[in-house]
Amino acid sequence: MRTRSRFLSALLALPVALAACSSEPVPPSNTTPDAAAADVLLTDGPAADAALADLVTPVDVAESPDAVAPADTGPTVGPYPAGPYGNRAGNVLANLSWEGYTNLEGAAVSTTLPYGPTSMQAVRETGRAFALVHVSEFF
Amino acid sequence: MLQAGGVVVEILESNVGGPVPRAQLDAWVNTYRIPVTAVIDPPDENVTRTLMTYGIRESLFVVDLRTMRIVNKYNGSVAGIGPSSITQGVTRILELLAGGM
């Protein structure tokens, strides 16, 4: 098997430890309509009646926007930059889709990790700042 | 470099000018014990889209992932002569990751 292996030899000589890359989950808000109602100073009168009714009336949690924690969708980097695309310095590199092994930690040979689809947009969504993108060929 | 906040994407873009099957990706990764993201064009699509889009082997792109703009491009020798593209590119990306321009 012959490939461009000098790149890989140099690459393997690099220290490859992973920076912690986490996204803290957003805690659910406890300021639901019910919680807000509990803070109402209950006195006699229509407002008190309404607050009490709210306390005892079943609330469909799914319809209460404050009761639903935002889904953790990971880092948001926005849509892929628009073209025109190119492969020269200063150009915007096109978003391509691939299959293979995503290995951000550098702690294992990549074939020990799951095989699956990925893309340049997925690389963006790692939250990393810069990438080295290298192309090789069998010949 | 990964510790500094970078990412490396290694693309096996052709097999003698044609599409690359998964078995060759696996052999390539295992032979060189590659510890970074390693990918191919989707084999089911039977294409060499990366080759057609990014260009021939031994090209190395330093990419700003916020804008996807190519900050630098390095072309190593396809004949195995002279410095490899990685030798040229690593110093640059480390500068960028350290906040340099």
Coordinates of all heavy atoms in Angstrom, one line a residue, chain A residues 6-41:
Chain A
R6 N 4.3 10.7 4.6 CA 5.2 11.6 5.3 C 4.3 12.6 6.2 O 4.7 13.0 7.3 CB 6.1 12.4 4.4 CG 7.1 11.5 3.7 CD 8.1 12.3 2.9 NE 7.5 13.2 2.0 CZ 7.8 14.5 2.0 NH1 8.7 15.0 2.8 NH2 7.1 15.3 1.1
F7 N 3.2 13.0 5.6 CA 2.3 13.8 6.4 C 1.9 13.1 7.7 O 1.9 13.7 8.8 CB 1.0 14.1 5.6 CG 0.0 14.8 6.4 CD1 0.0 16.2 6.6 CD2 -1.1 14.0 7.0 CE1 -1.0 16.8 7.4 CE2 -2.0 14.6 7.8 CZ -2.0 16.0 8.0
L8 N 1.6 11.9 7.6 CA 1.1 11.1 8.7 C 2.2 10.9 9.8 O 2.0 11.0 11.0 CB 0.6 9.8 8.3 CG -0.6 9.9 7.4 CD1 -1.0 8.5 6.9 CD2 -1.8 10.5 8.1
S9 N 3.4 10.7 9.3 CA 4.6 10.6 10.2 C 4.7 11.8 11.0 O 4.9 11.8 12.2 CB 5.8 10.3 9.4 OG 5.7 9.0 8.7
A10 N 4.6 13.0 10.3 CA 4.8 14.2 11.0 C 3.6 14.4 12.0 O 3.7 14.9 13.1 CB 4.8 15.4 10.0
L11 N 2.4 14.0 11.5 CA 1.2 14.2 12.3 C 1.3 13.4 13.6 O 1.0 13.9 14.7 CB 0.0 13.8 11.5 CG -1.3 14.0 12.1 CD1 -1.6 15.5 12.3 CD2 -2.4 13.4 11.3
L12 N 1.8 12.2 13.5 CA 1.8 11.3 14.6 C 2.9 11.8 15.7 O 2.8 11.4 16.8 CB 2.2 9.9 14.2 CG 1.1 9.2 13.4 CD1 1.6 7.9 12.8 CD2 -0.2 9.0 14.2
A13 N 3.8 12.7 15.2 CA 4.8 13.2 16.2 C 4.2 14.3 17.0 O 4.9 14.8 17.9 CB 6.0 13.7 15.4
L14 N 3.0 14.8 16.7 CA 2.5 15.9 17.4 C 1.8 15.5 18.7 O 1.3 14.4 18.7 CB 1.4 16.6 16.5 CG 1.9 17.2 15.2 CD1 0.7 17.7 14.4 CD2 2.8 18.4 15.5
P15 N 1.9 16.3 19.7 CA 1.1 16.0 20.9 C -0.3 16.2 20.6 O -0.7 17.2 20.0 CB 1.6 17.0 21.9 CG 2.2 18.1 21.1 CD 2.7 17.5 19.8
V16 N -1.1 15.2 20.9 CA -2.5 15.3 20.6 C -3.4 15.0 21.8 O -4.0 13.9 21.9 CB -2.9 14.4 19.4 CG1 -2.4 14.9 18.1 CG2 -2.3 13.0 19.6
A17 N -3.4 15.9 22.7 CA -4.4 15.8 23.8 C -5.6 16.7 23.6 O -5.5 17.6 22.8 CB -3.7 16.2 25.1
L18 N -6.6 16.3 24.1 CA -7.9 17.1 23.8 C -8.2 18.1 24.9 O -8.1 17.9 26.0 CB -9.0 16.1 23.8 CG -10.4 16.7 23.7 CD1 -10.6 17.3 22.3 CD2 -11.5 15.7 23.9
A19 N -8.5 19.3 24.3 CA -9.1 20.3 25.2 C -10.5 19.9 25.6 O -11.2 19.4 24.8 CB -9.0 21.6 24.5
A20 N -10.8 20.2 26.8 CA -12.2 19.9 27.3 C -13.1 20.7 26.4 O -12.9 21.9 26.2 CB -12.4 20.2 28.7
C21 N -14.1 20.1 25.9 CA -15.1 20.8 25.0 C -16.4 20.4 25.5 O -16.9 19.3 25.1 CB -14.8 20.5 23.6 SG -15.9 21.3 22.5
S22 N -17.0 21.2 26.3 CA -18.3 20.8 26.8 C -19.3 21.9 26.7 O -18.9 23.0 26.6 CB -18.2 20.4 28.3 OG -17.8 21.5 29.1
S23 N -20.5 21.5 26.7 CA -21.6 22.5 26.7 C -22.4 22.2 27.9 O -23.0 21.1 28.0 CB -22.4 22.5 25.4 OG -23.0 21.3 25.3
E24 N -22.5 23.2 28.8 CA -23.2 23.0 30.0 C -24.7 23.0 29.7 O -25.2 23.8 29.0 CB -23.0 24.1 31.0 CG -21.5 24.1 31.5 CD -21.3 22.9 32.4 OE1 -22.2 22.4 33.0 OE2 -20.1 22.4 32.3
P25 N -25.4 22.0 30.2 CA -26.9 22.0 29.9 C -27.5 23.1 30.7 O -27.1 23.5 31.7 CB -27.3 20.6 30.5 CG -26.3 20.2 31.5 CD -25.0 20.8 30.9
V26 N -28.6 23.6 30.1 CA -29.3 24.7 30.7 C -30.3 24.2 31.7 O -31.1 23.3 31.3 CB -30.0 25.6 29.6 CG1 -30.8 26.7 30.3 CG2 -29.1 26.1 28.6
P27 N -30.2 24.6 32.9 CA -31.1 24.1 33.9 C -32.5 24.5 33.6 O -32.7 25.6 33.1 CB -30.6 24.6 35.2 CG -29.8 25.9 34.9 CD -29.3 25.6 33.5
P28 N -33.5 23.7 33.9 CA -34.8 24.1 33.6 C -35.3 25.2 34.5 O -34.9 25.3 35.7 CB -35.6 22.8 33.9 CG -34.8 22.0 34.8 CD -33.4 22.3 34.4
S29 N -36.0 26.1 34.0 CA -36.6 27.2 34.8 C -37.6 26.7 35.7 O -38.4 25.8 35.4 CB -37.2 28.2 33.8 OG -37.9 29.1 34.6
N30 N -37.6 27.2 37.0 CA -38.7 26.8 37.9 C -39.7 27.9 38.0 O -40.5 27.9 38.9 CB -38.1 26.4 39.2 CG -37.4 27.6 39.9 OD1 -37.3 28.6 39.3 ND2 -36.8 27.3 41.1
T31 N -39.6 28.8 37.1 CA -40.6 29.9 37.2 C -41.8 29.6 36.2 O -41.9 30.2 35.2 CB -39.9 31.2 36.7 OG1 -38.7 31.4 37.5 CG2 -40.8 32.4 37.0
T32 N -42.5 28.6 36.6 CA -43.6 28.2 35.9 C -44.8 29.0 36.2 O -44.8 29.8 37.2 CB -44.0 26.7 36.2 OG1 -44.4 26.7 37.6 CG2 -42.8 25.8 35.9
P33 N -45.9 29.0 35.5 CA -47.1 29.8 35.9 C -47.5 29.4 37.3 O -47.9 30.3 38.1 CB -48.1 29.4 34.8 CG -47.3 29.1 33.6 CD -46.0 28.4 34.2
D34 N -47.4 28.1 37.6 CA -47.8 27.7 38.9 C -46.9 28.3 40.0 O -47.4 28.8 41.0 CB -47.7 26.1 39.1 CG -48.9 25.5 38.3 OD1 -49.8 26.3 37.8 OD2 -48.9 24.3 38.2
A35 N -45.6 28.3 39.8 CA -44.7 28.9 40.7 C -45.0 30.4 40.9 O -44.9 30.9 42.0 CB -43.3 28.6 40.3
A36 N -45.2 31.0 39.8 CA -45.5 32.4 39.8 C -46.8 32.7 40.6 O -46.9 33.6 41.4 CB -45.7 33.0 38.4
A37 N -47.8 31.8 40.4 CA -49.0 32.0 41.1 C -48.8 31.8 42.6 O -49.5 32.5 43.5 CB -50.1 31.0 40.6
A38 N -47.9 30.9 43.0 CA -47.7 30.7 44.4 C -47.1 31.9 45.1 O -47.2 32.0 46.3 CB -46.8 29.5 44.6
D39 N -46.5 32.7 44.3 CA -45.9 33.9 44.9 C -46.9 35.1 45.0 O -46.6 36.1 45.6 CB -44.7 34.4 44.0 CG -43.6 33.4 44.1 OD1 -43.5 32.7 45.2 OD2 -42.8 33.4 43.2
V40 N -48.1 34.9 44.5 CA -49.1 35.9 44.6 C -49.6 36.0 46.0 O -49.9 35.0 46.7 CB -50.3 35.6 43.6 CG1 -51.5 36.6 43.8 CG2 -49.8 35.6 42.2
L41 N -49.7 37.3 46.5 CA -50.2 37.5 47.8 C -51.7 37.2 47.8 O -52.5 38.0 47.1 CB -49.9 38.9 48.3 CG -50.5 39.2 49.7 CD1 -49.9 38.3 50.8 CD2 -50.2 40.7 50.0

